């Protein structure tokens, strides 16, 4: 979820692509009403990053109430087993996504892992993320931010030692191209 200056939900096709990306595609047509509903939902969800436990609980409760989340028994995949799931009576994409997101955040709150909801560590980036790494140490979003930060750190280290300037001026690498 990002700001409008770099909107990943630009049209219905982008919404369908997002749903495929998160492996949550119902093959239902996504229309302009779904797109508008999800865009209006962003400001509520954005409050979760970085938010306190009290804010998260409030947002979860508000969304579950707003979309009339109802517990239903549903088949688990293609198996004979059932599981309990919260569903929206209207079945809209926005309602289903809001409810699933709310339940995922509720699970993080219950496990004391709300800290896994973070903003990308690159100051120029405004992307949000859920750190699902085993040790909870992920710093950057799924974009190029990690690579950009590594390159910037590399350049800063080399600039302080003068190595980058030597390479640029002479065309040679100082450690490898030693004069005989």
């Amino acid at each position: 979820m990002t700001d409008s200056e770099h909107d990943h939900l630009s049209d219905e096709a982008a919404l369908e692509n997002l749903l495929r990306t998160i492996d949550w595609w119902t093959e239902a047509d996504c229309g302009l009403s779904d797109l508008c509903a999800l865009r209006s939902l962003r400001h509520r969800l954005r409050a979760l990053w970085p938010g306190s436990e009290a804010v998260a609980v409030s947002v979860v409760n508000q969304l579950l109430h707003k979309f009339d989340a109802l517990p239903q028994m549903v088949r688990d995949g293609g198996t004979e087993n059932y599981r309990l799931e919260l569903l929206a009576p209207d079945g809209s994409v926005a309602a289903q996504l809001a409810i699933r997101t709310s339940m995922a955040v509720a699970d993080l709150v219950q496990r004391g892992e709300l800290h896994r909801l973070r903003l990308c560590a690159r100051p120029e980036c405004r992307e949000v993320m859920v750190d699902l790494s085993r040790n909870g140490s992920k710093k950057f979003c799924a974009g190029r931010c990690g690579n950009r930060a590594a390159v910037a750190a590399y350049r800063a280290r080399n600039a302080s030692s003068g190595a980058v300037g030597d390479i640029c001026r002479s065309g040679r690498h100082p450690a490898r191209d030693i004069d005989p």
Side-chain angles (χ1 to χ4, degrees):
M1 308 273 169
T2 61
D3 293 288
S4 59
E5 64 204 32
H6 186 66
D7 194 348
H8 294 291
L9 289 177
S10 55
D11 56 20
E12 291 93 345
L15 174 57
E16 289 178 5
N17 187 46
L18 170 70
L19 296 176
R20 280 189 190 95
T21 300
I22 61 175
D23 198 24
W24 186 67
W25 179 244
T26 61
E27 296 299 327
D29 289 331
C30 295
L32 186 58
S33 63
D34 294 309
L35 185 62
C36 292
L38 282 173
R39 284 180 175 164
S40 68
L41 183 63
R42 281 193 276 201
H43 75 280
R44 282 188 171 177
L45 293 176
R46 186 67 182 202
L48 297 169
W49 283 271
S52 67
E53 187 174 285
V55 168
V57 169
S58 177
V59 169
V60 165
N61 286 336
Q62 288 171 16
L63 289 173
L64 293 175
H65 180 74
K66 175 184 170 55
F67 291 105
D68 297 323
L70 299 171
Q72 299 284 316
M73 295 294 296
V74 296
R75 288 255 184 220
D76 191 10
T79 70
E80 297 291 320
N81 300 326
Y82 285 91
R83 71 174 187 276
L84 186 62
E85 191 171 305
L86 292 179
L87 302 173
D90 70 0
S92 71
V93 172
Q96 292 176 56
L97 198 56
I99 290 170
R100 286 183 182 209
T101 301
S102 295
M103 293 308 296
V105 171
D107 186 50
L108 289 174
V109 169
Q110 288 175 336
R111 291 188 289 148
E113 295 183 339
L114 192 60
H115 63 277
R116 290 183 178 266
L117 297 180
R118 3 188 125 104
L119 299 173
C120 180
R122 187 168 168 256
E124 300 83 7
C125 183
R126 301 208 14 97
E127 296 284 336
V128 297
M129 65 178 179
V130 179
D131 180 3
L132 299 176
S133 65
R134 178 178 278 187
N135 64 359
S137 63
K138 186 175 177 182
K139 294 181 181 180
F140 302 101
C141 68
R144 297 185 189 130
C145 292
N147 289 338
R148 288 178 179 167
V151 168
Y154 171 80
R155 288 179 180 163
R157 282 191 309 273
N158 286 334
S160 66
S161 69
V164 172
D166 292 342
I167 293 171
C168 294
R169 284 191 290 277
S170 69
R172 301 181 316 189
H173 190 283
R176 289 185 306 210
D177 301 331
I178 300 173
D179 289 329

